Every structure is written in C-alpha cells, then in structure tokens.
Amino acid sequence: MTLPDRLADQPTSDGPPPPRRGGRWRTPLRLAVAGVFLAVITVILAGQWQQAKPLLGRLSVPVMLASWAMVLAGIYATFRSWRAALTDLGATLPHTGAMRVFYLGQLGKYVPGTIWPVVTQMRLGRDYRVPPRASGAAVGVFMLVLIGTGLLVGVPVIPLLGRDAVDEYHWLAVVLPLFVLALTPPVLNRAIALVLRVTRRPPMPAPLSFGGILRVAGWAIVSWLCYGVHVYLLARQLGAEGGALLLLQCTGAFAVAFASGPLLLIVPAGAGVREAALLLLLGPTLTAPVAAVIAVISRLLFIVGDLAWSAVATLAARRRAVRPPAAPLPP
C-alpha cells in the first residue's frame, strides 16, 4: 500500500475516515443500483405529473417554493433524527458522511419493499467503518420513532377531521400507547439484543438512552411541524379558510397519512397510501378536489426534495474527498 493510501485510511479529527476505495466492480454496481432507483422515481413522477399538470395553474410560484422549502426543512429534520439514533447507538459520522449515507439510502424507499433503505444505508455505512448492525438498528429505531411521533401528533387531531376520519382511524388510539411503550429504551435495547443474539452478531457499541430517544423524537416532531406547514400553505392558496385550526388539521392529517405509508411493505415510499389517506382526512375540511390536488403536489414536492438532498449530499461528499489535507502543525 502506498503512502497516500495509508494516509487515506487514518482517522480525521472530526470523525471517521473518508470512504474506502472499492474494487473495480463496485462502481458499475453502484451505478446500476442508482439507475434502478432513478428509473422507479421517474415512473412515479410521470404518473403523478399527468394528474398535477392541469391543476398547477391554481398555485403561485412563491407559494410552491415556500411549501417546497418546508418539505426540504422537514426532510433535513428526519436526517437529524436518524443521525441522533445512530450516534446514541455508539456510531459517529462526520456531517457530510452522514448526509451521504442517509439521503442516498433514502432513495431506496422508492423501490418496492421497505427493506431497501436499510440495506442501502448499511452498505454505505460500511464505507465509513460503521458496523452494519449499528446502521440497521439506527434505521429501525428511526422509523419506529418517526411513525410513533406521527401518531402522537396526528391521533389527537382525528376528531377535528370529521366523522369519516374517526370511523376509519379510531383504531390508532389503541396503537398509539403500544408504540409509546415500545419506544422506551429498555424495550428497544432488549429487542435489539435479542435480534443480535439470534443472528449471532456482536452487541451494539452502546445502548440506547432516554436522552438519545428524546433527541430522535424531538427532531421527528420538528419534521411533522414542517410538513404540516407545507400542506397548510397549499391549502390556503387553493382557497381554504382558517388559521391555527386549519394548520392543526393539516399537520395532524398529514402525520397520520404519512405514518400509514410504511405499514405496507410492497408499496414504493407509500405511494398511493398517503394520497388516499390525505383525501379521506382532509376531504371534509377542504373539499375532496382540493385535498386531491394537495396530495398529488405534495408527493411531487417530496420526490424533488429527496432528489435535491441526495444531490447536495453527493456533492458535499465529493468536495470533502478531494479537499487537500491540512498542513501539519509545527512542533
């Protein structure tokens, strides 16, 4: 191994070393996987575009940009939530490396089956010497907390969304306490330890703590608030009336609709599930046509947001990789 190669494997002062250089087969394989992701995303985007195109004239460019900005902020908050889970489990990553692992891994949700983000993040995490068991556990904890906080935000709002919403989603009032109990550190640590023991894997570098779970949940709640504002902005532009009550209804409805998506394992990114749920939950409040427009445009904004953050993460990781090393300090 040459001297530059040895230096590239040395830890840096702000976190783990940069990605390891792979064999010749890794680049074509990653390009093929990225091509599959982009193909699936293009198909979803094309299907949504045909429905949204005749309705875009009702929305002004400033409102669309403002709503998209809230989507971007919400996606970033979910990244911080996932990173808090990974850190609490004893695995640390520099900010650019964490962005690369999370945002590129999240593209896997557009492929049928919720296992692909987990597999992709575990593979990308290995480039930064993050144990695969830590990456997998972090994704699992993050998703459970995201769904649990979504129910926590949305379930109390269901009675404000009409009789149909209450009849369709009243069972979530029973699921919510179970999620709260399951998300306590003692329960999560025992579950993770059991899975590792059954799969004959070493234990986690560190157990989950109450403080860590609160940080994960705090960032998840921030994401729900951002997503609620993005729906609220679209609703007001399309003629809906109301202030704080409308914002509360939009936030709760979107949280319930979003949290129901991951429950179907074969649907790419919950496609169709979220839209149908939003139509049911917001229909009595905003009228069905307005709710349908919001559901379709919201999906488009999320797809573009995921692609934008993935591009930012890729560019940031490449810029850091080519940055020259700092000059050594004098003795």
Side-chain angles (χ1 to χ4, degrees), residues 14 34 42 58 79 82 86 98 103 114 122 148 153 159 171 182-183 215 225 235 245 250 258 303:
D14 60 347
T42 302
R58 301 183 185 182
F79 157 69
W82 164 83
L86 185 66
Y103 289 123
T114 56
M122 290 172 64
V153 170
W171 55 274
L183 293 177
R215 286 188 290 272
L225 297 178
L245 177 60
C250 291
F258 195 107
I303 293 176

Side-chain angles (χ1 to χ4, degrees), residues 60 74 112 180 223 264 274 296:
S60 65
V180 174
S223 72
L264 292 183
R274 187 196 311 171
V296 173

Side-chain angles (χ1 to χ4, degrees), residues 14-317:
D14 60 347
R20 294 173 298 181
R21 297 180 180 180
R24 295 179 180 179
W25 58 271
R26 289 183 179 177
T27 297
L29 179 60
R30 289 176 179 176
L31 290 176
V33 173
V36 173
F37 287 170
L38 291 177
V40 174
I41 291 172
T42 302
V43 171
I44 296 174
L45 186 60
Q48 302 287 350
W49 178 256
Q50 294 301 321
Q51 304 175 48
K53 184 178 180 180
L55 304 169
L56 292 178
R58 301 183 185 182
L59 294 169
S60 65
V61 174
V63 171
M64 289 283 288
L65 291 177
S67 181
W68 187 50
M70 297 310 301
V71 170
L72 292 176
I75 295 174
Y76 179 76
T78 60
F79 157 69
R80 294 299 300 268
S81 178
W82 164 83
R83 193 183 182 195
L86 185 66
T87 301
D88 200 43
L89 287 168
T92 58
L93 279 175
H95 193 265
T96 54
M99 290 179 63
R100 177 175 177 267
V101 172
F102 179 78
Y103 289 123
L104 296 184
Q106 283 297 292
L107 294 180
K109 67 186 180 182
Y110 292 101
V111 177
T114 56
I115 192 175
W116 295 114
V118 182
V119 173
T120 307
Q121 290 186 21
M122 290 172 64
R123 179 63 190 86
L124 292 172
R126 288 174 58 189
D127 290 342
Y128 296 88
R129 295 174 176 80
V130 175
R133 64 186 186 280
S135 297
V139 176
V141 172
F142 156 71
M143 286 302 302
L144 288 175
V145 172
L146 189 65
I147 296 174
T149 53
L151 297 178
L152 183 64
V153 170
V155 168
V157 182
I158 290 178
L160 304 177
L161 300 174
R163 184 65 185 177
D164 291 341
V166 174
D167 292 340
E168 187 71 21
Y169 292 99
H170 66 277
W171 55 274
L172 291 179
V174 179
V175 175
L176 178 58
L178 299 179
F179 257 94
V180 174
L181 177 63
L183 293 177
T184 57
V187 175
L188 285 175
N189 286 327
R190 287 189 177 91
I192 293 173
L194 177 61
V195 172
L196 294 177
R197 187 162 56 250
V198 170
T199 57
R200 298 181 179 180
R201 300 293 187 218
M204 281 293 161
L208 292 166
S209 64
F210 280 100
I213 291 296
L214 289 178
R215 286 188 290 272
V216 176
W219 280 110
I221 291 175
V222 170
S223 72
W224 295 126
L225 297 178
C226 293
Y227 296 151
V229 174
H230 113 272
V231 175
Y232 172 79
L233 292 174
L234 296 176
R236 288 299 300 258
Q237 182 70 19
L238 291 172
E241 298 181 355
L245 177 60
L246 178 62
L247 177 59
L248 184 64
Q249 291 171 324
C250 291
T251 303
F254 188 87
V256 172
F258 195 107
S260 62
L263 299 180
L264 292 183
L265 301 180
I266 62 174
V267 180
V273 179
R274 187 196 311 171
E275 289 78 5
L278 271 179
L279 185 60
L280 174 66
L281 293 167
L282 290 179
T285 302
L286 306 178
T287 74
V290 172
V293 174
I294 291 176
V296 173
I297 294 179
S298 173
R299 171 66 66 173
L300 291 174
L301 294 179
F302 267 86
I303 293 176
V304 178
D306 285 333
L307 291 174
W309 272 120
S310 299
V312 170
T314 301
L315 292 176

